Structure formats: structure tokens, C-alpha cells
Amino acid sequence: MSLRVAVAAPFLQNGTQRLQENEFVVALSLDRDWFSPDQSKRLIDIATQEGLLERVDGTLEATFDTADVTVHEEFVPGEELLQERSAFERVLESLVAEGVEKHEAVGAINTLQQELGVTIEVAAVVYARREGVDISDLLPVARSTLRDDGQAEGR
């Protein structure tokens, strides 16, 4: 996933799992010339929302092992990374990346949503798990769509 690669790059460049926010911004904007400083800050916000980064004691910490990520020399992230995506979109992207046909996944997820009476996000997570696709990083997002009594919101 290109967001994970873009987030990992500054950490790999500095050989660490923790960076000051300004170091992260400089790595993306000045060193790599991928984004403006403002766009780099936006990327931090999105990566934090998506659970790839955590703010810890005034620093940014990668929540995944950046050493497992390869940043190919020709890699240049697109500005689409700066747009928020729903949990459903993120799960669907993971499914497609694993070779599941998009239309097949959407149909199966919609069917599960109706059968289980849950949100589209929860249905997507259930489907992905059944397909053997690791989406563990999206579980908190899916859980947040449930009310305290376990019922889907809006039902």
C-alpha cells in the first residue's frame, strides 16, 4: 500500500521507528520532494487516523515495522494519499490487492451486511477475515461503527 510506503520512508531514511514531526516533514518535503510541508503535515494526520502513526511524547512513532517496507527508487506517492478514505474503502483496497475481484467483494460484503445487520465496515472486515486477508489494523475503525450495546449505528 503506497500510504504505508510513504509513511515508512522518513523512518527508513533515518534508521529509526520514532521521529520528531519536523524531521518527518523535512524528509518528505525537502529530502524527497514528494509533498509540500503542509501536505506532509496532512499526511501525518491521515496516517495517524489510519493507525500507521502515533503521537508519543511529542514525537511520531510508526505503529508497524518500517524495516518490512521497501521504498523503490522510482516510487513517488500520489496526492490521493492526502484524501481520507473510509474503513470500507480501505478494506476493499486490501481485498483487491490480494487478488479478490472488486465487484465480487462488494457484492459479498453487501450480502453480509444485510444478513448480519451490521455496518458496511463491519461486514467488510468479516468478509476480509473469511478470505484470509489481514486487515487487523482496521478492526478499531470497524468497532467504532458499533454502539456500546453492540448494535450497528443507525439501526
Side-chain angles (χ1 to χ4, degrees), residues 116-151:
L116 301 176
V118 295
T119 64
I120 193 78
E121 292 84 4
V122 171
V125 167
V126 169
Y127 179 75
R129 299 279 298 251
R130 288 181 179 175
E131 293 295 308
V133 175
D134 179 24
I135 42 75
S136 55
D137 57 323
L138 299 175
L139 292 177
V141 179
R143 280 190 193 109
S144 72
T145 67
L146 297 174
R147 294 191 321 226
D148 291 341
D149 63 3
Q151 297 294 312

Side-chain angles (χ1 to χ4, degrees), residues 45-114:
D45 292 338
I46 290 169
T48 302
Q49 282 181 316
E50 296 206 10
L52 296 174
L53 289 176
E54 283 184 354
R55 287 186 164 96
V56 179
D57 299 327
T59 63
L60 295 174
E61 189 172 307
T63 61
F64 60 98
D65 188 357
T66 58
D68 292 341
V69 177
T70 302
V71 183
H72 296 287
E73 214 171 292
E74 67 277 358
F75 174 77
V76 177
E79 288 192 29
E80 72 277 358
L81 294 183
L82 303 175
Q83 299 171 356
E84 290 183 51
R85 297 173 298 150
S86 71
F88 169 74
E89 292 169 316
R90 292 162 45 199
V91 171
L92 189 58
E93 178 183 291
S94 296
L95 287 162
V96 170
E98 291 294 323
V100 178
E101 291 292 325
K102 187 174 184 176
H103 68 278
E104 176 186 316
V106 170
I109 291 167
N110 285 333
T111 300
L112 265 177
Q113 180 186 17
Q114 292 174 348

Side-chain angles (χ1 to χ4, degrees), residues 18-38:
R18 184 179 275 199
L19 289 171
Q20 295 292 324
E21 187 169 329
N22 65 334
E23 292 173 312
F24 188 91
V25 169
V26 166
L28 292 177
S29 61
L30 296 177
D31 296 345
R32 293 190 179 266
D33 196 28
W34 284 348
F35 300 109
S36 71
D38 286 341

